[in-house]
Amino acid sequence: MPKSALFIAGEILKRAKELGLTISNMSMQKLLFIANGAYLAKTGNTLINEPVEVWQYGPVIRTAYHEFKDYGNTDIKGFPLAYTEATDKTIDETANEAIEFVVKIASELDALQLSNWTHLPDTPWSKAKECGHSIIPNKVMQEYFKQFIKKE
């Protein structure tokens, strides 16, 4: 069952902070996009219950953008209320794997590298932008991210 983007952001932040990683708003946008895509590729369902929008500078989940925009390009220090006040913090194993996947990516790539990756030709964002879409279709994300998922 999909969760709010802010709940998933909280999970990403919690795990990143445990590893001493810094996550900016731009990084968070890309990590949420990738986690959602990985989950879609594996399950056919969305991890996040909000659309991924096509903004000028990449894929954006609007609620997460507004939650973290005041941090600019600095480390997000706090956790969203949607995470801290959640009474049920359980996620399924595939969601756990998707979040672990993006935390690993965050340990290897900075915000600019993440942004560059999401802007490459044939990525879901670039395809949606070329077609004039305001939302990245789930099917496009699902197909693209299948290349990063291990076959079982």
Side-chain angles (χ1 to χ4, degrees):
M1 178 175 210
K3 300 273 192 182
S4 76
L6 295 178
F7 179 85
I8 298 300
E11 272 296 313
I12 292 169
L13 286 169
K14 179 184 92 167
R15 296 172 194 208
K17 290 187 182 312
E18 288 170 356
L19 297 173
L21 302 175
T22 60
I23 305 292
S24 67
N25 187 23
M26 184 164 72
S27 290
M28 180 59 75
Q29 290 301 319
K30 306 325 178 208
L31 297 172
L32 287 168
F33 165 68
I34 295 165
N36 192 55
Y39 192 84
L40 267 163
K42 191 118 180 187
T43 68
N45 299 306
T46 59
L47 174 62
I48 297 169
N49 63 8
E50 299 154 63
V52 180
E53 298 181 24
V54 178
W55 285 22
Q56 180 179 0
Y57 297 110
V60 172
I61 294 93
R62 185 178 296 269
T63 56
Y65 173 80
H66 289 295
E67 178 76 16
F68 302 121
K69 68 183 177 186
D70 291 342
Y71 288 100
N73 64 357
T74 64
D75 185 34
I76 297 170
K77 301 288 186 211
F79 291 90
L81 286 178
Y83 182 74
T84 58
E85 294 182 350
T87 55
D88 178 14
K89 291 190 178 166
T90 59
I91 56 174
D92 64 55
E93 185 56 35
T94 306
N96 184 57
E97 290 170 6
I99 293 166
E100 287 297 319
F101 177 64
V102 297
V103 170
K104 181 172 179 3
I105 289 169
S107 74
E108 298 171 358
L109 301 176
D110 64 26
L112 187 55
Q113 290 169 315
L114 284 167
S115 182
N116 289 340
W117 179 27
T118 62
H119 294 167
L120 290 171
D122 295 325
T123 61
W125 174 81
S126 64
K127 284 182 177 182
K129 189 170 192 227
E130 286 170 12
C131 293
H133 295 306
S134 60
I135 303 290
I136 300 174
N138 289 336
K139 190 73 174 160
V140 173
M141 283 187 282
Q142 180 181 10
E143 289 304 312
Y144 177 79
F145 282 98
K146 281 183 179 179
Q147 67 185 301
F148 303 105
I149 302 304
K150 291 184 215 172
K151 305 290 185 225
E152 296 183 27

